[in-house]
Amino acid sequence: MTETEHILLQLTGRALFDMPAAFDSAATDWEALYREARSQALPLLIWDAFTEEERACIPDAVATRWEQSALLHIMKNEQLLYEQTQVLQQLDAAGIPCVILKGSASAACYPNPSLRVMGDIDLLVKPEQQREAVKVLQEHGYGEVLEETHHCHMTISKGKITVEVHWEPNGLLLNENAESLREIRRFLGDAVERRQFTDGLPVPADDQQALILLLHKMEHFFLSGLGLRQLCDWAVFVEKKMNVNSAEGRRLWETLRPRLAEFGMLNFTGIMTRICIEYLGLPKSSAPWAMEYDAALSQKVAEQILREGNFGQKAEKYGERLFSNPNAPNRIVSLFRVMDDACQEYWPLCGKYPPLRIAAPFLLLGRYLRLRAKGQRPKVNLVKLYRQSGADQKLYQELRPFVGEE
């Protein structure tokens, strides 16, 4: 861990849990700290965490850019919250209930919700109402569906505002354990019906929100890169909702623990929570059970999170999942398994008519080249991806995603 990363983690702990942060302000590389905060989508949270004495040590040029970045995030948050209110009202008027995923649902657990940077608006509706919900939004200024083949949502936008209308949360595509997948879908199947309201916003019930947060983290970690912002979401949720020092928190954890074991997500949950304790300042007393999990594995996962950044922007991961499927015995098997899964996702007839799966990989390549020509996909080097994915696949296998546990 670099000194810059160490300082960033201290400041994050101060912002979230009022933990002490002791570092030499005069000797700090403020430019590097600013870049690191941005790469982890935390510039607003960290800017607010500085003391006046620390800010006085920041070079003027860096301070100006950092303050401008913080103000831009505040403005974007306000725009998203305003538009979210309009969208919720439009869906409510059309008789389409929904819940908010991530975003302001996660922000509600922060000491200061306004400091949690938002990216877009994610809504979960009943599967049978997904297209109807999209139509309602289009009647209120949203354009054509941008991503209709995604496995769990449709994406539409209005100007710079993007809305993802989900029929199920992210993360389930990772799960190749049919029994686990069936049980998770059953557990989350009534998320819209069980919704609760926090500050007037429809959010999932606490047990379902916990699972949704974990699935989201799994998808980012295994596919695109998990950053500190997503880890912060879990840390504040544990502290506010699952703190074993409160009767409600103990009940929630005691209810969730056997469920997570059944779904094959308990090990991942323990590792992520231990990282929150050791690196982000989550009080150990809030989740002492997390300290039972592998310290060495927690360190390796934390190092990868710091290395990759928010959505993997510090280390390009696009295409790496071809060779790093955690359920495959090696990288070559991973390649064929991921391609076959993708073909069945984009062209469901491949699952219904197996002979089509022979030609589907060529169609998948054609799809990639078409999107690449439009600038919607980055260039990939398969040899380079193969070489760099070996260590990641071993790490992913250690986490045992969706493998049943006692």
Side-chain angles (χ1 to χ4, degrees), residues 60 73 85-86 91 133 139 166 169 173 196 221 238 240 263 265 291 295 348 351 354 377 401-402:
D60 291 343
H73 281 300
T85 299
Q86 302 303 307
L91 293 178
E139 291 170 354
H166 289 250
L173 181 63
Q196 58 191 27
F221 184 75
V238 171
K240 187 167 184 178
F263 300 152
M265 295 175 62
M291 304 310 291
R377 294 292 186 273
F402 302 114

Side-chain angles (χ1 to χ4, degrees), residues 12-225:
T12 304
R14 177 196 284 174
L16 298 181
F17 304 110
D18 200 26
M19 298 295 289
F23 61 98
D24 187 346
S25 302
T28 296
D29 184 341
W30 291 101
E31 175 66 33
L33 184 61
Y34 170 62
R35 290 198 305 267
E36 189 65 31
R38 288 196 62 183
S39 73
Q40 299 289 353
L42 296 177
L44 180 55
L45 187 76
I46 300 304
W47 177 256
D48 186 74
F50 290 134
T51 65
E52 289 302 318
E53 292 78 10
E54 289 163 355
R55 288 189 187 181
C57 294
I58 306 176
D60 291 343
V62 178
T64 298
R65 281 186 290 135
W66 205 325
E67 186 173 22
Q68 289 175 343
S69 177
L71 290 173
L72 286 173
H73 281 300
I74 290 173
M75 291 172 60
K76 184 176 182 180
N77 279 356
E78 290 298 324
Q79 292 172 343
L80 283 166
L81 289 172
Y82 173 80
E83 187 62 28
Q84 180 177 271
T85 299
Q86 302 303 307
V87 167
L88 292 175
Q89 290 175 351
Q90 292 155 11
L91 293 178
D92 185 62
I96 303 174
C98 67
V99 294
I100 298 169
L101 301 176
K102 303 171 291 183
S104 52
S106 292
C109 293
Y110 279 68
N112 185 342
S114 65
L115 299 180
R116 198 272 187 186
V117 171
M118 295 176 62
D120 51 26
I121 300 169
D122 292 81
L123 303 174
L124 177 69
V125 300
K126 297 177 182 178
E128 65 270 19
Q129 292 186 307
Q130 185 187 37
R131 292 190 177 277
E132 184 183 355
V134 169
K135 184 178 179 181
V136 168
L137 298 187
Q138 288 175 327
E139 291 170 354
H140 288 84
Y142 282 83
E144 295 299 315
V145 175
L146 300 176
E147 192 174 7
E148 193 165 358
T149 59
H150 194 276
H151 67 280
C152 69
H153 66 68
M154 293 184 181
T155 304
I156 55 176
S157 64
K158 181 169 68 175
K160 295 183 178 181
I161 304 294
T162 299
V163 177
E164 292 182 359
V165 183
H166 289 250
W167 67 270
E168 74 176 12
N170 290 90
L172 293 179
L173 181 63
L174 290 168
N175 195 351
E176 297 183 3
N177 182 331
E179 183 178 353
S180 169
L181 181 60
R182 182 173 58 253
E183 291 305 312
I184 291 174
R185 282 186 166 139
R186 183 178 299 162
F187 180 70
L188 295 176
D190 61 351
V192 175
E193 290 86 345
R194 287 186 59 206
R195 64 180 180 168
Q196 58 191 27
F197 287 83
T198 299
D199 297 328
L201 298 175
V203 299
D206 291 342
D207 55 347
Q208 292 175 326
Q209 185 172 1
L211 185 59
I212 289 168
L213 285 170
L214 289 165
L215 286 168
H216 183 235
K217 272 131 209 58
M218 292 182 83
E219 178 167 88
H220 277 289
F221 184 75
F222 291 115
L223 299 185
S224 62

Side-chain angles (χ1 to χ4, degrees), residues 391-405:
D392 283 352
Q393 193 197 31
K394 290 178 181 177
L395 177 60
Y396 299 161
Q397 290 173 334
E398 286 187 71
L399 286 166
R400 305 192 306 276
F402 302 114
V403 176
E405 304 166 51

Side-chain angles (χ1 to χ4, degrees), residues 272-306:
M272 288 297 157
T273 309
R274 179 164 186 152
I275 292 171
C276 290
I277 292 171
E278 296 187 327
Y279 293 87
L280 296 183
L282 173 67
K284 187 187 299 185
S285 61
S286 300
W289 48 267
M291 304 310 291
E292 303 169 5
Y293 290 84
D294 192 324
L297 179 56
S298 296
Q299 181 179 347
K300 286 191 286 187
V301 171
E303 289 171 351
Q304 177 152 319
I305 291 170
L306 290 169

